[in-house]
Amino acid sequence: MSDKPKVTGYRQLTDEQVVLMNKIKAKGNEIGTLVDELRCTDELDQRSVSTGATQLQTGFNVADSRCCPTR
């Protein structure tokens, strides 16, 4: 693990944490694409779409921090 670059100010992630982090990021991108599609749907209440998008972003941020806490 010591051959991996370390980000200044953050601890080194384990291989398992890197895999989990990448899964979280990939799923977040997938959900982001779906939210973009919902935003292009005129029949939907866009305030609700925005609220849902914010809550999803919060959830993914929490998942990131719980999976791979820094410092």
Side-chain angles (χ1 to χ4, degrees):
M1 187 162 54
S2 62
D3 59 335
K4 295 179 186 176
K6 182 167 170 58
V7 178
T8 302
Y10 294 89
R11 69 178 180 81
Q12 185 68 46
L13 300 179
T14 66
D15 290 339
E16 181 179 289
Q17 289 170 325
V18 170
V19 168
L20 289 173
M21 181 69 77
N22 286 332
K23 285 181 179 181
I24 292 167
K25 298 292 186 189
K27 192 57 68 175
N29 289 336
E30 181 182 336
I31 296 295
T33 298
L34 176 59
V35 168
D36 289 343
E37 291 176 30
L38 295 173
R39 286 190 169 135
C40 294
T41 305
D42 294 332
E43 297 83 24
L44 296 177
D45 177 357
Q46 293 302 307
R47 290 175 299 172
S48 294
V49 173
S50 292
T51 298
T54 298
Q55 291 176 344
L56 286 163
Q57 289 169 342
T58 300
F60 280 106
N61 288 338
V62 169
D64 281 349
S65 66
R66 297 277 161 78
C67 163
C68 309
T70 56
R71 301 174 195 232

